[in-house]
Amino acid sequence: MGRWLFNIYRLGLKELRSLKTDPVLLLLIVYMFSFAIYAVATGAKVEVVNASVAYVDLDQSDLSGRIVDAILPPEFEDPQRISAAEVDRVMDDGEYVFVLSFPPNFEADVIAERVPELQLNVDATAMVQAGNGSVFLQQIIADEITKFESQDDTSSTLPIDLIVSAQFNPNMKSTWFSSVMQIINNVTILAVMLTGAALIREREHGTIEHLLVMPVSPSEIMLAKIWANGLAIIIAAILSLWLVIQGFLSVPIAGSIMLFIAGTVLYLLSVAGLGILLATFTTSMPQFGLLVMPVLVIMNLLSGSTTPMESIPEWLQTMMQASPSTHFVSFSQAILYRGAGMETVWPDMVVMAGLSAVFFAISLMRFRQTMASGQ
């Protein structure tokens, strides 16, 4: 056992030295856990921000003016007035996401309780802004009409006193969600890519033949690649949590980082093994990249990191339980967002440990076949 552990340790040091001399991979790690996270968190927002609005006012009344004046930044740009003849053209050209049309006698019909029709045209190709923005505009219109009818500008009357308490993300900022999820996704991406690239690099440099004649076992080689590349990923993830997430983006981390690291170690055993497994089916980096891309896309998109698992068809939810990324996302969200402890996340850790054992065994069997054939 001592000799086995020593071989794993020494081979791992070799992997770290090899990684140190590869500026492309080092730059990739730095980029994935710094600028890539910051850019996505600050640039790809799901909130309604600066949505373009135009309006057609055939009524030109006090009520229509009040509604237009209530459409304010930062959710919306200043509404632009257009003619009725321009509606089709501006919607076809994509100049505005929303076009609001006030019919003639709109205010008079409201006062007379004749239920006038107010048309809101929405460019639904801008899906997030279209869905959330239309809800905001409907609320603005309803509030202004209620205030107009009651002649009370202070508040709109409701039969209940609704108190909203947003847990874990009180300002409902997408930055808080997307930044942390980028770290979780990047752990998966780099674990697969680095371990697979390490095996491909052995072949391209001709050092795989050296390993074949050395008194080391395939399990020692695999574990060395996993712990060396996994260590680089964990260090990068910790620094990213401290410097990028908590530092530059000011996103609070609710739970224990040490518990997150423990779960990440379990997870890396499976996804790093998956990287080696995929590498055994390829002979070059381009082939490996083409094989890895669809696997990573499916793992990330269907793991619950982009959309809730409840939004996925039930049969697909069941299939994705076999993916360690699904349980890692659930585990990470519970700790980093909600401050969960071991008593909450231990089921996910047990499943990740089991899946890691399965993935490692399959990868080791395939790797032994590859080593035996000398490929």
Side-chain angles (χ1 to χ4, degrees):
M1 177 61 72
R3 185 66 182 177
W4 184 74
L5 293 175
F6 180 76
N7 287 342
I8 294 174
Y9 169 72
R10 298 297 298 179
L11 287 170
L13 293 181
K14 179 189 77 69
E15 289 296 325
L16 290 175
R17 285 193 294 267
S18 178
L19 181 62
K20 180 181 177 181
T21 59
D22 194 327
V24 175
L25 288 180
L26 287 177
L27 182 61
L28 177 64
I29 295 174
V30 173
Y31 168 78
M32 292 286 282
F33 284 103
S34 57
F35 180 76
I37 293 174
Y38 184 85
V40 171
T42 57
K45 296 183 178 181
V46 297
E47 300 99 339
V48 179
V49 179
N50 295 327
S52 55
V53 182
Y55 68 97
V56 177
D57 192 353
L58 301 179
D59 187 38
Q60 300 186 36
S61 62
D62 178 53
L63 178 56
S64 62
R66 289 175 56 140
I67 293 174
V68 171
D69 291 340
I71 302 174
L72 300 171
E75 288 83 8
F76 302 98
E77 295 179 351
D78 293 332
Q80 304 297 313
R81 185 170 182 173
I82 61 175
S83 66
E86 294 180 281
V87 173
D88 289 339
R89 180 187 62 80
V90 298
M91 292 297 291
D92 290 342
D93 293 344
E95 294 183 23
Y96 298 98
V97 179
F98 304 99
V99 176
L100 187 60
S101 297
F102 296 95
N105 304 316
F106 172 65
E107 181 182 298
D109 290 340
V110 169
I111 295 173
E113 299 184 354
R114 285 195 285 265
V115 192
E117 291 185 355
L118 184 62
Q119 186 181 62
L120 177 62
N121 297 284
V122 182
D123 181 359
T125 56
M127 185 176 63
V128 174
Q129 285 194 333
N132 295 337
S134 60
V135 173
F136 291 166
L137 286 173
Q138 290 177 56
Q139 185 63 50
I140 290 171
I141 294 169
D143 287 346
E144 292 304 316
I145 292 177
T146 302
K147 293 175 184 178
F148 177 79
E149 289 182 324
S150 64
Q151 298 299 310
D152 181 5
D153 288 338
T154 58
S155 63
S156 56
T157 58
L158 289 175
I160 61 171
D161 185 12
L162 178 63
I163 299 175
V164 178
S165 178
Q167 299 293 320
F168 316 119
N169 187 357
N171 295 324
M172 294 191 235
K173 297 173 62 177
S174 62
T175 300
W176 285 30
F177 175 78
S178 58
S179 59
V180 176
M181 288 315 306
Q182 277 299 113
I183 287 186
I184 296 172
N185 289 337
N186 289 347
V187 167
T188 301
I189 293 171
L190 284 180
V192 174
M193 292 183 62
L194 290 184
T195 51
L199 181 57
I200 298 295
R201 189 167 54 241
E202 299 276 12
R203 289 175 176 168
E204 292 182 342
H205 294 174
T207 53
I208 190 69
E209 288 80 6
H210 299 168
L211 292 176
L212 291 174
V213 297
M214 290 177 63
V216 293
S217 65
S219 63
E220 292 170 348
I221 298 173
M222 273 191 61
L223 286 172
K225 293 183 182 300
I226 290 173
W227 86 253
N229 290 286
L231 178 63
I233 293 171
I234 289 175
I235 292 175
I238 294 173
L239 292 176
S240 183
L241 282 171
W242 285 339
L243 299 178
V244 180
I245 303 299
Q246 294 180 304
F248 288 103
L249 296 174
S250 300
V251 177
I253 299 300
S256 169
I257 292 181
M258 293 304 298
L259 182 57
F260 171 70
I261 293 172
T264 303
V265 171
L266 289 176
Y267 177 63
L268 285 173
L269 287 173
S270 59
V271 287
L274 175 62
I276 293 177
L277 176 64
L278 295 176
T280 60
F281 291 99
T282 61
T283 57
S284 65
M285 284 299 293
Q287 287 183 359
F288 178 68
L290 290 174
L291 182 60
V292 161
M293 281 192 294
V295 174
L296 290 177
V297 167
I298 293 174
M299 288 180 67
N300 283 339
L301 290 181
L302 301 181
S303 64
S305 63
T306 304
T307 57
M309 286 297 294
E310 293 77 9
S311 302
I312 302 175
E314 290 188 6
W315 65 269
L316 196 51
Q317 291 183 41
T318 303
M319 288 183 60
M320 288 306 297
Q321 297 306 307
S323 171
S325 62
T326 302
H327 303 280
F328 181 59
V329 168
S330 174
F331 162 86
S332 302
Q333 288 180 344
I335 294 175
L336 300 179
Y337 291 145
R338 299 186 287 275
M342 178 63 78
E343 69 282 356
T344 301
V345 300
W346 70 264
D348 284 321
M349 296 185 72
V350 170
V351 174
M352 284 193 294
L355 290 174
S356 294
V358 172
F359 272 79
F360 184 83
I362 296 174
S363 302
L364 180 59
M365 180 177 63
R366 172 63 187 174
F367 185 59
R368 279 175 174 160
Q369 294 175 352
T370 304
M371 293 280 287
S373 63
Q375 295 179 357

